[in-house]
């Protein structure tokens, strides 16, 4: 394969495509620039007789030393040309060698300049670059969706939803509200009738840098004395026993059951063994008489016990009345919802 002339190497690929199309070269679309140069050079040399006459290809045949410009007739006339007196004088040598070298140097520089950006582009493509913000956002969204799906599955498998629903259903009753109010009163009274007493000390641990911690426990020995049982019995009677007795004998829900037995909606009616509305009314009335009006009931109620209970419960006597009022409102609200 012959060396590709510098004139072809200096052309861009778009120019080479135009030359190949004009010269009638076939199947050149998939060729690279270097392959296209070689194919075009061979095609122009093979079809010199028909393409040398075209001005577009004259630089190729002139610089490669082919074509009519280097025919034997012109070479002879260049060697010896007769003057006006009939004498032949030697032709002056052309400075084609210098021009050719200059053209080759120029074409080489142009070719390097054309190829360098492609090499730089290939190098830039090989260097790993950070992803775009859109790619990062998509990755975060995918990870978040996976994490949310795993947390949801863990929550479902643990059965926390069913347990929460069960706890809510258990607490959404009048009995639960009454039990909560009773527990608050009992916890507040415990600090008065069973106060904390020092029991022992947890020693300091130097390895964990923890100080000595004193531990106090309820004084259970007071359970053997009247200091515990006198105020506790009075509170238990006024907050639970007496109101329950009134709620049992004055049960308005039993009357509602007998009246609703002839209607179609009796299935939604709730019958209590102890009427919650009567219970709260009786509790508020007894608390008002004992803790506000200081009624002694023939000396059965001790003033000292009343003072201890009033000082221990949150809000004193009015705290007990407030708890009874809340229970009564809850009872009325439940009855309205079931109508």
């Amino acid at each position: 394969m012959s060396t590709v002339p510098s004139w072809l190497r200096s052309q861009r690929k778009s120019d080479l495509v135009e030359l190949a199309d004009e010269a009638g070269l076939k199947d050149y679309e998939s060729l690279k620039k270097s392959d296209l140069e070689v194919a075009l050079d061979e095609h122009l040399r093979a079809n010199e007789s028909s393409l040398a006459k075209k001005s577009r290809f004259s630089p190729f045949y002139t610089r490669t030393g082919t074509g009519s410009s280097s025919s034997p007739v012109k070479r002879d006339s260049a060697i010896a040309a007769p003057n006006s007196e009939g004498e032949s004088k030697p032709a002056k040598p052309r400075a084609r060698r210098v021009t050719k070298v200059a053209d080759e140097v120029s074409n080489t520089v142009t070719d390097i300049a054309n190829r360098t950006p492609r090499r730089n582009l290939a190098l830039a493509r090989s260097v790993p670059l950070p992803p775009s913000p859109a790619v990062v956002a998509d990755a975060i969204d995918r990870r978040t969706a996976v994490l949310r799906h795993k947390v949801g599955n863990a929550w479902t498998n643990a059965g926390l939803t069913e347990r929460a629903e069960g706890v809510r259903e258990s607490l959404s009753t009048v009995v639960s509200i009454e039990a909560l109010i009773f527990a608050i009163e009992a916890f507040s009274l415990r600090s008065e009738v069973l106060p904390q007493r020092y029991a022992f000390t947890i020693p300091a641990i130097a390895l964990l840098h923890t100080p000595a911690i004193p531990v106090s426990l309820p004084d259970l020995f007071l359970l053997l004395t009247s200091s515990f049982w006198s105020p506790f019995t009075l509170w238990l009677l006024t907050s639970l026993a007496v109101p329950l007795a009134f709620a049992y004998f004055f049960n308005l829900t039993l009357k509602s059951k007998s009246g609703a037995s002839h209607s179609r909606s009796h299935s939604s009616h709730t019958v209590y063994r102890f009427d919650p509305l009567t219970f709260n009314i009786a509790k508020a009335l007894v608390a008002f008489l004992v803790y506000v009006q200081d009624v002694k009931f023939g000396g059965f109620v001790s003033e000292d016990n009343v003072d201890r209970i009033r000082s221990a419960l949150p809000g004193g006597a009015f705290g007990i009345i407030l708890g009874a009022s809340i229970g009564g409102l809850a009872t009325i609200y439940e009855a309205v919802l079931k109508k």
Side-chain angles (χ1 to χ4, degrees):
M1 182 173 59
S2 60
T3 304
V4 178
S6 59
W7 181 77
L8 286 177
R9 287 189 285 106
S10 64
Q11 304 294 325
R12 298 180 180 178
K13 186 173 181 180
S14 58
D15 297 333
L16 293 176
V17 171
E18 293 179 1
L19 292 174
D21 185 58
E22 187 174 351
L25 181 64
K26 299 180 179 179
D27 300 330
Y28 64 86
E29 291 82 2
S30 60
L31 297 178
K32 298 182 179 179
K33 184 176 182 295
S34 57
D35 299 334
L36 183 57
E37 292 173 358
V38 175
L40 193 56
D41 176 58
E42 295 177 354
H43 182 74
L44 292 178
R45 292 180 185 275
N47 299 275
E48 178 181 354
S49 58
S50 59
L51 299 176
K53 299 177 182 179
K54 296 184 178 181
S55 59
R56 183 69 182 274
F57 303 107
S58 59
F60 172 80
Y61 294 109
T62 301
R63 298 188 181 186
T64 55
T66 60
S68 58
S69 60
S70 60
S71 61
V73 177
K74 290 192 175 183
R75 284 198 300 268
D76 294 341
S77 61
I79 295 173
N83 56 12
S84 59
E85 297 179 356
E87 298 179 354
S88 61
K89 59 181 181 179
K92 297 181 179 180
R94 300 182 180 181
R96 294 184 61 186
R97 182 64 180 175
V98 178
T99 305
K100 185 175 181 180
V101 172
D103 292 341
E104 291 179 355
V105 172
S106 177
N107 294 335
T108 303
V109 173
T110 304
D111 185 61
I112 293 175
N114 291 334
R115 294 185 181 182
T116 300
R118 297 183 180 179
R119 296 178 182 176
N120 293 339
L121 182 60
L123 179 61
R125 290 176 178 175
S126 63
V127 176
L129 298 177
S132 63
V135 176
V136 175
D138 293 340
I140 293 176
D141 291 340
R142 289 195 297 270
R143 295 292 179 86
T144 304
V146 172
L147 180 60
R148 184 167 56 249
H149 180 70
K150 290 182 179 179
V151 172
N153 289 340
W155 179 274
T156 304
N157 296 333
L160 297 179
T161 303
E162 291 76 7
R163 295 178 183 178
E165 292 292 338
V167 172
R168 186 179 70 170
E169 185 176 358
S170 301
L171 295 178
S172 300
T173 60
V174 176
V175 177
S176 299
I177 296 175
E178 298 290 350
L180 180 61
I181 295 173
F182 185 80
I184 294 175
E185 293 180 2
F187 180 78
S188 301
L189 185 64
R190 199 272 318 161
S191 61
E192 174 65 26
V193 297
L194 285 178
Q196 299 285 111
R197 294 288 185 268
Y198 170 77
F200 58 90
T201 301
I202 299 177
I205 302 177
L207 182 62
L208 301 178
H209 303 284
T210 57
I213 302 175
V215 178
S216 299
L217 296 174
D219 189 2
L220 300 180
F221 290 101
L222 294 176
L223 294 174
L224 304 176
T225 64
S226 61
S227 176
F228 168 80
W229 288 107
S230 294
F232 177 75
T233 303
L234 178 60
W235 168 79
L236 196 64
L237 287 173
T238 57
S239 295
L240 185 64
V242 174
L244 279 179
F246 276 92
Y248 180 79
F249 289 105
F250 297 94
N251 194 342
L252 301 181
T253 59
L254 295 177
K255 187 68 175 178
S256 300
K257 178 183 178 183
S258 60
S261 60
H262 300 89
S263 63
R264 299 180 180 178
S265 59
H266 72 280
S267 59
S268 62
H269 182 75
T270 303
V271 178
Y272 292 100
R273 187 176 181 83
F274 300 92
D275 190 344
L277 183 60
T278 306
F279 173 86
N280 288 286
I281 294 174
K283 180 179 179 181
L285 181 61
V286 172
F288 177 77
L289 293 176
V290 174
Y291 302 110
V292 177
Q293 297 297 324
D294 293 329
V295 177
K296 299 299 185 291
F297 292 100
F300 178 77
V301 178
S302 171
E303 185 176 357
D304 181 61
N305 294 332
V306 172
D307 292 337
R308 292 182 66 185
I309 294 174
R310 278 191 300 209
S311 63
L313 298 181
F318 293 101
I320 300 177
I321 298 173
L322 178 62
S325 301
I326 294 174
L329 290 176
T331 305
I332 296 173
Y333 182 67
E334 182 188 42
V336 170
L337 292 178
K338 291 182 178 180
K339 289 296 182 180

